[in-house]
Amino acid sequence: MQRLGIDLGERSYDILIGLGLRKRAGEFLKPVFEPSRVVVITHPSINDLYGEEVAESFIAQGWTTDIIEVPEGEFSKNLSQAEKLYDHLLELNCDRKSVLVALGGGVIGDLVGFVAATYQRGIPFIQVPTTLLSQVDSSVGGKTAVNHPKGKNMIGAFYQPRLVVADLETLRTLPQKEYRAGLAEVVKYGVIADARLFEFLETHYKEILNLDHKPLSHIVETSCAIKAGVVEKDERENHYRMILNFGHTFGHAIESLTEYARFVHGEAVAMGMARAAQLSHSVGKCSEEVPKRLEALLKNLGLPVDMPSLDSSAVMESLYHDKKTMDHKIRFILVTEIGSIEIVDQMPEEEILKVL
Ligand code: NAD
Ligand code: GLY
């Protein structure tokens, strides 16, 4: 098992990565916090697969443990679902020493984190991420949110978990499409911060697609270490943390203009990263080699790179609604070389239109 720390003063916590860890979640929580009770929140299908094992690990510590199910899908990340969870927690008499356990992917993690941040002004929660995306990205860093009809992640809070327990074994039941989507975020870390990780992906993509343990644990650990380092420097995204949004500016536009139905998040990010690299080259920030290598790697990982046909003015409109856009200025994360990026505070519309 690998133990990484994220140093955020009194909000610091460990990220544990390894095989079979879900069955030991209670043992890992014990030295961190002694809860009055534990509530595991998950989707029905994940409950069938792992709910009992995870709950048993808390029961073994002598803690009263309940499981609450939430329907799957992005649609569950909303205020009415959060309200149902508050009702349930009140019925269970959960108090400020109760611990919530987010067992699932980014949808569960974001929703449970948000409920933990707001129930009785904040109660502890831990993340037990079961998708690759949530293991390398969403479970670390404390961004919690629900969606609003007018935009994704519009209602939320920065609220850190007390612990992250990433069990690589759970990825074996994850659909291929979801697994590949998580790989898009791993590629992102290579582009923004680590040329060696990028090269590792170029060399080992077949083993990684095959879920071979050694390369898989290497990419999860490296990704978490990069994310932890970024969050330690800028927890509340005043500026630097925006680098984690490489590819997401176009990606979010693609997701919202296709009603969050045609692509999963990582696929939209893959297309977004390919466009962002093209844009970086077309404004002279990087050589032609950079978008070429990025597209080749994404294709090898089975990810899409070409934008779907979308109305350019609708894409521009969507970019103006991006959370990074301030004072009507579209911010972009551009790549200068693999492993190195630059935040550009105002990208002219005509440059963006050239790569759409
Ligand atoms: P998800 O949570 O919807 O999970 C994808 C699907 O996989 C679901 O149907 C789920 O039930 C299923 N699943 C999960 N684990 C499984 C397993 N081990 N075996 C079989 N099936 C399994 O999707 P996701 O990609 O994990 O997360 C996407 C969400 O994460 C989005 O809402 C996005 O906004 C959010 N996100 C948040 C952050 C952050 O920093 N907080 C970062 C990136 C993305
Ligand atoms: N996924 C982007 C962030 O955590 O900042």
Side-chain angles (χ1 to χ4, degrees):
M1 177 178 85
Q2 182 72 24
R3 183 183 289 266
L4 303 174
I6 172 160
D7 184 2
L8 295 168
E10 62 181 13
R11 294 179 306 289
S12 299
Y13 53 96
D14 284 346
I15 303 157
L16 310 180
I17 301 162
L19 288 173
L21 304 191
R22 67 190 181 282
K23 298 177 195 162
R24 300 171 62 195
E27 171 194 330
F28 299 133
L29 178 60
K30 182 98 178 158
V32 177
F33 190 81
E34 187 70 36
S36 56
R37 70 187 299 145
V38 178
V39 182
V40 178
I41 304 176
T42 191
H43 298 311
S45 62
I46 303 176
N47 193 13
D48 288 347
L49 287 164
Y50 307 116
E52 202 177 310
E53 290 169 335
V54 172
E56 278 300 326
S57 81
F58 300 113
I59 293 165
Q61 300 298 327
W63 301 326
T64 305
T65 303
D66 294 278
I67 303 182
I68 303 179
E69 290 185 348
V70 168
E72 332 219 341
E74 188 67 31
F75 181 72
S76 280
K77 239 178 79 174
N78 60 28
L79 276 175
S80 81
Q81 193 59 57
E83 201 169 349
K84 282 185 192 147
L85 288 172
Y86 300 137
D87 291 347
H88 222 121
L89 298 180
L90 286 166
E91 276 162 27
L92 291 171
N93 289 320
C94 287
D95 59 23
R96 284 215 173 128
K97 283 188 74 192
S98 303
V99 166
L100 304 188
V101 178
L103 173 64
V107 164
I108 280 288
D110 282 11
L111 172 69
V112 174
F114 177 74
V115 168
T118 46
Y119 180 77
Q120 298 192 358
R121 298 200 181 91
I123 62 170
F125 86 112
I126 72 167
Q127 295 267 16
V128 184
T130 61
T131 62
L132 182 60
L133 179 135
S134 58
Q135 294 189 351
V136 298
D137 188 358
S138 62
S139 66
V140 174
K143 275 191 180 176
T144 75
V146 292
N147 301 327
H148 184 276
K150 284 199 185 298
K152 198 167 143 77
N153 297 329
M154 281 296 157
I155 319 290
F158 287 97
Y159 192 70
Q160 301 294 341
R162 295 296 182 97
L163 180 70
V164 179
V165 180
D167 182 351
L168 301 176
E169 229 166 57
T170 61
L171 301 180
R172 302 208 167 272
T173 54
L174 190 65
Q176 261 290 327
K177 188 179 169 77
E178 299 291 348
Y179 180 68
R180 287 168 195 245
L183 289 173
E185 301 287 355
V186 180
V187 172
K188 175 192 78 179
Y189 292 119
V191 176
I192 64 172
D194 191 342
R196 280 172 59 196
L197 172 62
F198 193 92
E199 282 156 24
F200 185 86
L201 292 166
E202 288 181 314
T203 319
H204 296 278
Y205 70 92
K206 284 187 183 146
E207 296 104 289
I208 290 166
L209 284 174
N210 205 27
L211 272 90
D212 287 1
H213 176 63
K214 239 175 136 182
L216 175 60
S217 57
H218 173 71
I219 62 170
V220 175
E221 285 159 26
T222 310
S223 299
C224 286
I226 294 170
K227 178 141 190 193
V230 173
V231 174
E232 282 169 355
K233 283 202 187 118
D234 179 18
E235 184 184 0
R236 298 179 71 89
E237 200 170 83
N238 289 315
H239 196 255
Y240 181 64
R241 186 169 173 167
M242 280 179 213
I243 69 168
L244 297 173
N245 283 312
F246 175 69
H248 288 56
T249 316
F250 284 126
H252 285 151
I254 295 168
E255 276 184 294
S256 88
L257 294 173
T258 54
E259 261 94 58
Y260 299 96
R262 196 158 147 206
F263 305 104
V264 295
H265 178 69
E267 290 174 328
V269 168
M271 292 181 274
M273 287 195 292
R275 278 316 88 197
Q278 283 293 349
L279 179 62
S280 309
H281 172 56
S282 101
V283 297
K285 293 283 179 194
C286 68
S287 70
E288 197 181 4
E289 184 73 8
V290 171
K292 265 195 187 158
R293 272 179 76 189
L294 177 58
E295 289 196 16
L297 175 59
L298 293 170
K299 280 183 185 164
N300 279 342
L301 292 170
L303 286 159
V305 293
D306 296 322
M307 287 272 282
S309 67
L310 296 170
D311 177 38
S312 302
S313 56
V315 175
M316 289 308 306
E317 178 66 26
S318 175
L319 296 182
Y320 279 113
H321 287 112
D322 187 88
K323 284 202 279 317
K324 292 189 298 307
T325 297
M326 299 272 174
D327 301 328
H328 215 62
K329 291 177 189 152
I330 301 177
R331 262 202 187 114
F332 254 96
I333 320 299
L334 298 183
V335 49
T336 50
E337 59 186 319
I338 297 293
S340 179
I341 47 87
E342 189 181 314
I343 301 173
V344 174
D345 284 331
Q346 184 169 16
M347 179 56 67
E349 250 190 71
E350 58 274 18
E351 295 294 347
I352 300 171
L353 286 167
K354 273 189 211 164
V355 300
L356 286 181

